[in-house]
């Protein structure tokens, strides 16, 4: 599914990477431990987290993730946004919590990464 | 240049997970027995037992740095060390302001005991010291530096509450040093460009000094430690055990 459609359906706000919203979302992954994401999230996944540190950008790039959704209305740190812009990585903000965001993605037909 | 053994991460009975025998008195006695010249008292998000520890240390000729192990918003543990009680007090105020609300349940998490030099119980800290602050890692480190402290990433080799577990890896230029736990392997962290120290993270007297760092510096003081971590004027880290 195109990322743009996900943004529209879930009413997300793009905080970075506006030029890369045509990416294809292949699966989803929810975790707040970056070591776990590095080990388990697959390429093309959209990652749902409450982490806002700049390291999330590096993890997305490393694992070739499609985008990251920061939930609970949290704001990404300033250097997180600047690094994401430099990498062309979409950072999306959701007011809802991770459970609800994952549920909405599931309804759209997106399934867990590697599942 | 003389060399001194330092164990910069020790909990007392104030930490909910600290053993009930782990009084400042027992800590200083254990440090003395094991030839440590410099230690730090670093309870979880709290520092009420620092004063007696500093005084007891002074009597035994051991420098005790007042500190805390602060929990960041990402649930990364950071050892924050200070040169005096005034600076740790400033940081303490900031931590309490930013610590999540809630009251400790001693039956579930453990007692948070405030004691004096003679092991008399002065009271209990009722805050949820096992909770996290809402300071992200950079904000936390910035505050430590604002109050003239040193910020050391706790037990980076461990799979919980470490930079490695919570944030995947350690970016350059954030901390003053990285801490390895007693069995942590040096090789994995040697190339990151940070000074490496080893500390015990002791929660009971038998573990004090189980991990320590040997610093080459003029005397075992906070000012000299800062210079040694920066490798200034021939000072430095000679090794650790």
């Amino acid at each position: 599914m195109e990322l743009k459609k996900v943004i529209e359906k879930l009413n997300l706000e793009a905080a970075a990477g506006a030029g890369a919203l045509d990416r294809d979302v292949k699966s989803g992954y929810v975790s707040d431990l970056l070591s776990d994401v590095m080990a388990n999230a697959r390429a093309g996944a959209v990652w749902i987290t409450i982490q806002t540190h700049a390291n999330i950008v590096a993890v997305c790039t490393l694992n070739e993730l499609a985008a990251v959704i920061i939930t609970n209305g949290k704001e990404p740190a300033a250097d997180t946004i600047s690094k994401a812009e430099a990498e062309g990585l979409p950072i999306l903000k959701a007011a809802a919590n991770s459970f609800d965001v994952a549920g909405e993605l599931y309804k759209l037909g997106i399934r867990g990464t590697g599942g | 240049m003389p060399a001194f053994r330092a164990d910069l991460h020790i909990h007392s009975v104030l930490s909910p997970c600290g053993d009930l025998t782990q009084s400042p008195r027992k800590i200083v006695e254990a440090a003395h027995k094991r030839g440590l010249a410099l230690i730090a008292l670093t309870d979880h998000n709290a520092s009420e037992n620092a004063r007696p520890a500093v005084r007891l240390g002074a009597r035994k000729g051991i420098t005790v740095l007042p500190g805390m192990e602060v929990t960041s918003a990402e649930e990364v543990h950071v050892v924050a060390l200070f040169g005096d009680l005034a600076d740790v007090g400033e940081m303490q105020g900031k931590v309490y302001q930013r610590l999540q609300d809630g009251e400790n349940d001693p039956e579930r998490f453990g007692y948070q005991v405030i004691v004096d030099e003679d092991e008399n119980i002065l009271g209990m800290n009722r805050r949820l010291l096992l909770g996290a602050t809402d300071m992200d890692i950079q904000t936390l480190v910035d505050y430590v530096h604002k109050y003239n402290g040193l910020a050391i990433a706790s037990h980076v080799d461990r799979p919980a509450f470490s930079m490695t577990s919570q944030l995947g890896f350690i970016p350059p230029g954030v901390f003053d040093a990285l801490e390895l736990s007693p069995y942590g392997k040096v090789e994995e962290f040697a190339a990151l460009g940070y000074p490496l120290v080893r500390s015990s993270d002791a929660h009971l007297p038998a573990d004090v000094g189980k991990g320590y760092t040997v610093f080459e510096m003029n005397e075992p003081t906070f000012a000299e430690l800062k210079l040694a971590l920066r490798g200034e004027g021939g000072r430095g880290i000679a090794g650790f055990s």
Side-chain angles (χ1 to χ4, degrees):
Chain A
M1 176 175 291
E2 199 183 17
L3 189 57
K4 241 181 238 169
K5 194 174 169 198
V6 171
I7 293 168
E8 189 190 301
K9 292 275 185 194
L10 273 70
N11 199 19
L12 305 174
E13 186 189 332
L21 303 183
D22 54 349
R23 287 181 173 187
D24 186 35
V25 176
K26 293 191 170 68
S27 62
Y29 197 73
V30 190
S31 181
D32 298 319
L33 293 181
L34 276 68
S35 52
D36 170 63
V37 177
M38 288 163 80
N40 296 309
R42 305 275 171 82
V46 63
W47 167 31
I48 302 167
T49 184
I50 56 169
Q51 292 279 13
T52 59
H53 189 270
N55 277 12
I56 65 175
V57 178
V59 169
C60 285
T61 312
L62 188 75
N63 287 40
E64 298 175 352
L65 305 186
V68 56
I69 302 176
I70 298 175
T71 59
N72 270 1
K74 284 184 178 262
E75 288 292 330
D79 62 332
T80 305
I81 292 177
S82 60
K83 281 183 177 155
E85 291 294 5
E87 295 283 351
L89 173 78
I91 292 185
L92 312 171
K93 293 194 295 178
N97 68 38
S98 295
F99 181 91
D100 288 332
V101 170
E104 290 298 325
L105 287 176
Y106 202 91
K107 277 200 265 178
L108 292 175
I110 295 169
R111 296 293 178 262
T113 193
Chain B
M1 194 167 286
F4 301 96
R5 288 183 184 184
D7 182 353
L8 301 176
H9 185 167
I10 299 172
H11 292 267
S12 81
V13 67
L14 176 58
S15 293
C17 44
D19 193 86
L20 285 174
T21 64
Q22 183 79 324
S23 66
R25 176 173 287 275
K26 292 282 190 308
I27 291 169
V28 169
E29 282 170 7
H32 182 69
K33 208 178 342 172
R34 281 157 213 154
L36 300 170
L38 179 65
I39 62 172
L41 191 68
T42 53
D43 284 304
H44 288 294
N45 299 308
S47 61
E48 286 87 350
N49 283 345
R51 184 182 298 275
V54 170
R55 287 188 182 158
L56 287 161
R59 266 183 245 148
K60 286 268 189 193
I62 295 170
T63 303
V64 179
L65 302 179
M68 271 181 277
E69 187 177 32
V70 185
T71 310
S72 79
E74 301 92 345
E75 301 199 356
V76 172
H77 287 179
V78 177
V79 166
L81 306 178
F82 299 91
D84 57 48
L85 291 166
D87 281 338
V88 82
E90 294 282 349
M91 188 68 198
Q92 181 74 86
K94 189 52 67 181
V95 167
Y96 281 162
Q97 193 187 324
R98 307 285 296 259
L99 188 65
Q100 72 183 88
D101 286 337
E103 196 169 317
N104 182 50
D105 179 348
E107 296 298 329
R108 217 166 256 159
F109 301 128
Y111 288 89
Q112 302 178 159
V113 191
I114 301 168
V115 294
D116 69 8
E117 292 164 48
D118 301 315
E119 302 182 320
N120 296 306
I121 293 175
L122 301 179
M124 298 285 164
N125 185 319
R126 300 195 182 283
R127 292 172 196 268
L128 192 59
L129 297 182
L130 274 191
T133 68
D134 67 355
M135 288 185 274
D136 61 54
I137 198 80
Q138 191 62 56
T139 303
L140 196 169
V141 172
D142 287 347
Y143 275 119
V144 173
H145 289 158
K146 182 181 172 188
Y147 303 128
N148 313 305
L150 288 167
I152 301 175
S154 297
H155 40 65
V156 291
D157 54 294
R158 284 193 21 210
F161 301 115
S162 69
M163 272 301 285
T164 324
S165 71
Q166 308 305 110
L167 287 170
F169 62 96
I170 307 162
V174 181
F175 300 99
D176 298 297
L178 308 181
E179 174 204 289
L180 295 171
S181 62
Y183 303 107
K185 290 200 175 72
V186 178
E187 300 78 45
E188 291 169 45
F189 302 96
L192 294 175
Y194 280 108
L196 297 180
V197 300
R198 198 189 292 285
S199 308
S200 69
D201 195 1
H203 286 70
L204 66 164
D207 285 345
V208 171
K210 199 172 180 183
Y212 62 82
T213 310
V214 180
F215 289 97
E216 287 180 331
M217 51 192 180
N218 289 319
E219 48 184 11
T221 61
F222 186 61
E224 284 285 314
L225 174 68
K226 272 187 167 178
L227 294 169
L229 285 176
R230 294 205 295 259
E232 285 186 23
R235 300 172 188 83
I237 295 166
F240 40 63
S241 180

